Amino acid sequence: MNKSITVIGSTNTDMVIQTHQFPHPGETVIGKNFVVLQGGKGANQAVAASRLGGKVTFVSMLGKDDFAQIARKGFQADGIETKFVYETKEKPTGVAFITINHKGQNSIVVSPGANQCLGVKEIDSSMEAFAQSSIVLVQLEIPISTVAYVLKIAAKYGKNVILNPAPSKNLELEIYSNLYLITPNETEASELTGVPVNDVDSASEAADIFLVRGVKNVIITLGDKGAYFKNSEESFLVPAQLVETVDTTAAGDIFNGALAVALSEGNDWRSAIEFANKAASIGVGKLGAQASIPFRSEVDKLVHQ
């Protein structure tokens, strides 16, 4: 069984502040705790997949700065292969400013920085990662042109690609046709399909549009309702784990990293989604992005409870 997973995507340094409520335009509110943590959707998913049992190679772009060195050391500590994590002098390492309210909801502003410089040249230099992986996991915090090229290379090598379409952007039809799996949340599914997604029926309608566009499998995450799966053969909802929420910042990233691991281990769709739901439920109970990502032992303990 090939548990090798290649994650291609962004790296950010997260500056996180907690406050009772989000400020209105022109308003200043007093915050509570402030921390600087490692994040970025690509990096979060790579860390999640590695901590949860995958053999992970990460392809990303950093600046030549202190944030880059901290990020690289973190990846290595989590057992992630970093020889395809590149650096550029053109832009600084990406940063994200995250505000979290008393309900655990977040508001995020991202400055992509070096993530915008991850291009075809770097993907061509990372062919070894494609060749050895069973699954390629990618998001949309890097240039769309790079994502499209990743899909072409993955198809060349016969690899299954999971696209987490976040943050939501307009996608060319050829991108959909190369996808093994797409994993939008309610908002992203609504924006990409034009169907207002808020329950199982609307998720099913949106999933049909993705399938018509050529995607083989669809998972739409529905927050506390769970995750809805559909392909040409079956459809079902996997309920979410009900837990107290502290911070939802990396919940989707944990879900996707866990899902990639479960699929690489040969699990069926329902089992894979159940595993991903459990992993994400642990993450939302902690503050921060990578700081909240659980290890396999934590999820296995929850599974056996």
Side-chain angles (χ1 to χ4, degrees):
M1 186 178 298
N2 183 3
K3 293 173 62 176
S4 296
I5 299 166
T6 295
V7 181
I8 302 170
S10 58
T11 299
N12 291 327
T13 296
D14 293 345
M15 301 182 187
V16 185
I17 189 166
Q18 291 178 294
T19 185
H20 182 74
Q21 63 185 26
F22 298 129
H24 298 293
E27 180 186 16
T28 298
V29 299
I30 301 299
K32 296 187 291 183
N33 299 325
F34 172 75
V35 290
V36 178
L37 302 167
Q38 296 307 302
K41 297 195 71 63
N44 294 345
Q45 292 180 19
V47 171
S50 185
R51 289 184 186 176
L52 294 168
K55 183 180 178 182
V56 178
T57 298
F58 188 34
V59 181
S60 191
M61 180 68 81
L62 309 174
K64 287 187 175 294
D65 49 38
D66 291 342
F67 287 153
Q69 300 313 308
I70 294 170
R72 191 179 292 275
K73 289 179 181 178
F75 300 148
Q76 292 169 348
D78 275 309
I80 296 169
E81 175 56 67
T82 61
K83 64 181 175 181
F84 303 117
V85 175
Y86 304 97
E87 294 184 2
T88 178
K89 295 180 180 179
E90 293 183 24
K91 293 180 181 292
T93 300
V95 295
F97 299 89
I98 303 173
T99 304
I100 302 169
N101 70 8
H102 70 287
K103 297 179 180 179
Q105 299 169 321
N106 60 62
S107 176
I108 305 174
V109 178
V110 176
S111 176
N115 295 308
Q116 294 177 317
C117 299
L118 184 66
V120 170
K121 177 182 176 182
E122 287 73 35
I123 301 305
D124 282 341
S125 298
S126 308
M127 290 300 172
E128 178 186 335
F130 285 90
Q132 67 187 13
S133 63
S134 61
I135 289 176
V136 176
L137 176 58
V138 65
Q139 325 75 32
L140 298 180
E141 284 186 339
I142 58 176
I144 287 289
S145 58
T146 304
V147 173
Y149 190 68
V150 165
L151 296 182
K152 291 180 180 178
I153 298 301
K156 174 183 176 181
Y157 282 94
K159 305 300 180 179
N160 289 333
V161 179
I162 301 173
L163 173 63
N164 176 221
S168 180
K169 299 178 182 178
N170 290 329
L171 302 176
E172 298 292 333
L173 288 178
E174 66 176 353
I175 287 181
Y176 293 106
S177 63
N178 285 321
L179 293 180
Y180 175 68
L181 170 65
I182 193 168
T183 60
N185 62 20
E186 292 168 296
T187 301
E188 293 148 4
S190 299
E191 293 176 353
L192 291 171
T193 66
V195 175
V197 176
N198 49 42
D199 56 19
V200 170
D201 289 341
S202 55
S204 176
E205 184 179 350
D208 284 338
I209 293 175
F210 287 125
L211 294 174
V212 168
R213 291 175 181 173
V215 181
K216 294 180 178 63
N217 303 283
V218 180
I219 295 174
I220 299 176
T221 55
L222 301 171
D224 58 9
K225 301 181 187 70
Y228 177 79
F229 172 82
K230 191 168 192 176
N231 63 15
S232 61
E233 299 176 350
E234 59 180 337
S235 64
F236 51 81
L237 176 73
V238 178
Q241 298 284 122
L242 299 180
V243 295
E244 183 178 351
T245 299
V246 174
D247 179 9
T248 61
T249 300
D253 297 330
I254 296 171
F255 181 91
N256 279 275
L259 190 67
V261 171
L263 293 174
S264 75
E265 294 178 348
N267 286 277
D268 60 33
W269 287 111
R270 188 179 294 274
S271 297
I273 296 170
E274 288 173 348
F275 178 78
N277 274 350
K278 288 181 170 66
S281 75
I282 296 172
V284 299
K286 304 176 185 179
L287 180 66
Q290 289 171 31
S292 72
I293 296 172
F295 290 85
R296 182 63 174 258
S297 59
E298 296 176 77
V299 181
D300 287 344
K301 181 178 179 181
L302 183 62
V303 168
H304 292 112
Q305 286 181 351

